[in-house]
C-alpha cells in the first residue's frame, strides 16, 4: 500500500515536516569505504528517508548515521508506517553482508556489527512513536536474520536483539545491558576491542532472536529515548588509566554529574579522550562537563583540549531534513 496516496499535498507536506522520527545507527566500521558505500546506498533506496548526518572515527573504527523521515498514523492516532523501518533494516542487512566482527578492531567498545540503533522523536512526534519504531525494527532484525540462518544450512548468522529505554517493557537502561554483556571490557592490548571475545551462549537472554551469537555479527541493541547529545573531551596524555579515572569521577555512576555517562578511551597515538553521553543535555550540558573534566585533569597535571560534539542538535537535524525534502520536491 502506498500511504502517500492517502494524503493530499498540503497534509503530506505538514506531516513530513512535523511528525518526524530520527534513527541513529551505530555500525562497527569506518575504515572500509566500500563497505560504508554499500550501507549508505541501502539506506537511500527509499528516497523519503534522509541521511542528515554522519560521523565516523577511524581510531574507534565506528560510524554513526542519523536518518530522518516522517511517521503515518491510523484513524485512531496510532503509528502504522514510516520509511525509516525499511531503510534501517536494509542498512543492517548491508552491514552484516559487508562487515565481519571477527576481523574488526578499534579503540571503542562494541558488541555487534550493528552495535546500536536508537530512535528519537523529533518535532511533534512522541516517545511512544519512537518506541513503536524501535520495536518494529528490532522485530524485523531478529526474525529476518533468524530465518536467513535457516536458509544457510543452519550456520549461526542469526542476530540476538536487546531492547532498551522506552522500547523495553521496564525501560531497561542501555548501560545496564551493556555491562551485563561485557561491553566495557577491552580484550586486546588493554585498551582495544577486537573480534568477538564473549561467550557464544549469551549470559543474558535477548528480547528477540537466538540465545547463541554469530561471532561474525555479534548482537544488536535497539532502543528509544529522548534526544541524547554526545560530546568528547580530548586529554593530552597517553595514560588511559588516568583518563578513565577522570571519566568515572565526571559520570553519574562515579558520583559526578547527574545524567552524564562517560568512557575513557585511547584516541590516536598521543592522546586519550573522554567520550560523554549527555542524557539530558538541556539540564547538564557540554559546558559543565568541560569544566569538570578540566578541573579534575588539572589535579593530575594533565592538559585538556576543548571538547567537540559528535552530533548536531535536533533543530539542525530537522532543518537539514526539511531542506532535503524541499529540494527533492522542487520542479
Amino acid at each position: 500500500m502506498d500511504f502517500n496516496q492517502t494524503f493530499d499535498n498540503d497534509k503530506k507536506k505538514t506531516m513530513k515536516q512535523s511528525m518526524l522520527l530520527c534513527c541513529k545507527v551505530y555500525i562497527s566500521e569506518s575504515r572500509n569505504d566500500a563497505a560504508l558505500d554499500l550501507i549508505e546506498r541501502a539506506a537511500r533506496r527509499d528516497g523519503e528517508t534522509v541521511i542528515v548526518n554522519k560521523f565516523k572515527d577511524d581510531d574507534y573504527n565506528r560510524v554513526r548515521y542519523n536518518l530522518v523521515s516522517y511517521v503515518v498514523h491510523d484513524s485512531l492516532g496510532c503509528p502504522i508506517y514510516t520509511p525509516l523501518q525499511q531503510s534501517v533494516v536494509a542498512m543492517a542487512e548491508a552491514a552484516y553482508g559487508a562487515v565481519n566482527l571477527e576481523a574488526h578492531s578499534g579503540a571503542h567498545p562494541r558488541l555487534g556489527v550493528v552495535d546500536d540503533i536508537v530512535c528519537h522523536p523529533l518535532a511533534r512526534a512522541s516517545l511512544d512513536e519512537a518506541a513503536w519504531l524501535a520495536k518494529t525494527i528490532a522485530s524485523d532484525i531478529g526474525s529476518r536474520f533468524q530465518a536467513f540462518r535457516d536458509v544457510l544450512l543452519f550456520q549461526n548468522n542469526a542476530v540476538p536483539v536487546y531492547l532498551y529505554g522506552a522500547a523495553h517493557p521496564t525501560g531497561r537502561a542501555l548501560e545496564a545491558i551493556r555491562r551485563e554483556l561485557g561491553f566495557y571490557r577491552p580484550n586486546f592490548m588493554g585498551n582495544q576491542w577486537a573480534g568477538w571475545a564473549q561467550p557464544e551462549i549469551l549470559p543474558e537472554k535477548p528480547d528477540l532472536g537466538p540465545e547463541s551469537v554469530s561471532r561474525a555479527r555479534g548482537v544488536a541493541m535497539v532502543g528509544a529515548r529522548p534526544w541524547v547529545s554526545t560530546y568528547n573531551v580530548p586529554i593530552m596524555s597517553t595514560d588511559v588509566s588516568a583518563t578513565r579515572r577522570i571519566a568515572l569521577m565526571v559520570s553519574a555512576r562515579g558520583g559526578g554529574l547527574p545524567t552524564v555517562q562517560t568512557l575513557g578511551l585511547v584516541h590516536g597515538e598521543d592522546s586519550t579522550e573522554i567520550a560523554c553521553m549527555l542524557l539530558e543535555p538541556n539540564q547538564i550540558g557540554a559546558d559543565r562537563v568541560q569544566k569538570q573534566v578540566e578541573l579534575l585533569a588539572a589535579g593530575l597535571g594533565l592538559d585538556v583540549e576543548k571538547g567537540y560534539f559528535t552530533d548536531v542538535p535536533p533543530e539542525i537535524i530537522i532543518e537539514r531534513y526539511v531542506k532535503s525534502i524541499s529540494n527533492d520536491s522542487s520542479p
Side-chain angles (χ1 to χ4, degrees), residues 118 127-128 131 134-135 162-178 204 207 221-226 261 279:
V118 58
L127 187 57
D128 287 342
K135 288 183 282 189
Y162 294 89
L163 298 172
Y164 68 88
H168 188 269
T170 66
R172 176 174 59 189
L174 174 62
E175 181 185 29
I177 187 62
R178 281 177 163 175
E204 180 78 12
D207 297 288
M221 308 288 166
V222 184
R225 65 195 334 173
Q261 296 178 353
L279 303 185

Side-chain angles (χ1 to χ4, degrees), residues 178-198:
R178 281 177 163 175
R179 199 167 297 283
E180 181 71 24
L181 295 176
F183 176 85
Y184 299 102
R185 295 193 295 268
N187 69 322
F188 182 62
M189 297 176 61
N191 55 36
Q192 301 279 319
W193 285 259
W196 175 264
Q198 311 305 324

Side-chain angles (χ1 to χ4, degrees), residues 24-142:
K24 295 178 183 175
V25 182
Y26 293 82
I27 294 173
S28 300
E29 181 57 72
S30 72
R31 302 168 186 166
N32 185 335
D33 290 338
L36 298 186
D37 181 62
L38 286 171
I39 293 164
E40 291 166 24
R41 281 195 279 135
R44 293 189 173 104
R45 286 175 196 161
D46 189 325
E48 293 190 308
T49 294
V50 180
I51 300 176
V52 295
N53 198 42
K54 171 185 175 181
F55 180 82
K56 73 187 189 87
D57 190 304
D58 287 347
D59 290 312
Y60 292 158
N61 202 4
R62 183 176 177 87
V63 65
R64 187 206 60 243
Y65 295 97
N66 291 32
L67 282 69
V68 176
S69 195
Y70 61 88
V71 58
V72 177
H73 302 77
D74 63 17
S75 59
L76 299 177
C78 299
I80 56 173
Y81 173 76
T82 173
L84 282 169
Q85 178 186 346
Q86 291 186 357
S87 297
V88 172
V89 174
M91 285 185 83
E93 187 169 14
Y96 290 131
V99 180
N100 184 338
L101 193 65
E102 286 194 286
H104 177 274
S105 64
H108 194 288
R110 77 290 184 274
L111 286 167
V113 168
V114 181
D115 194 53
D116 183 23
I117 299 170
V118 58
C119 302
H120 300 294
L122 293 175
R124 289 172 45 217
S126 69
L127 187 57
D128 287 342
E129 290 157 335
W132 163 80
L133 174 57
K135 288 183 282 189
T136 304
I137 291 170
S139 177
D140 280 353
I141 290 176

Side-chain angles (χ1 to χ4, degrees), residues 4 7-21 46-49 68-72 81 83 122-124 318 321-322 325-326 328-329:
N4 287 344
F7 295 89
D8 61 34
N9 289 338
D10 289 340
K11 288 182 179 178
K12 189 191 302 182
K13 182 177 179 181
T14 299
M15 174 266 295
K16 285 186 174 182
Q17 296 186 12
S18 62
M19 304 299 289
L20 302 177
L21 296 172
D46 189 325
E48 293 190 308
T49 294
V68 176
S69 195
Y70 61 88
V71 58
V72 177
Y81 173 76
L122 293 175
R124 289 172 45 217
I318 295 170
Y321 169 77
V322 171
I325 62 172
S326 297
D328 289 345
S329 62

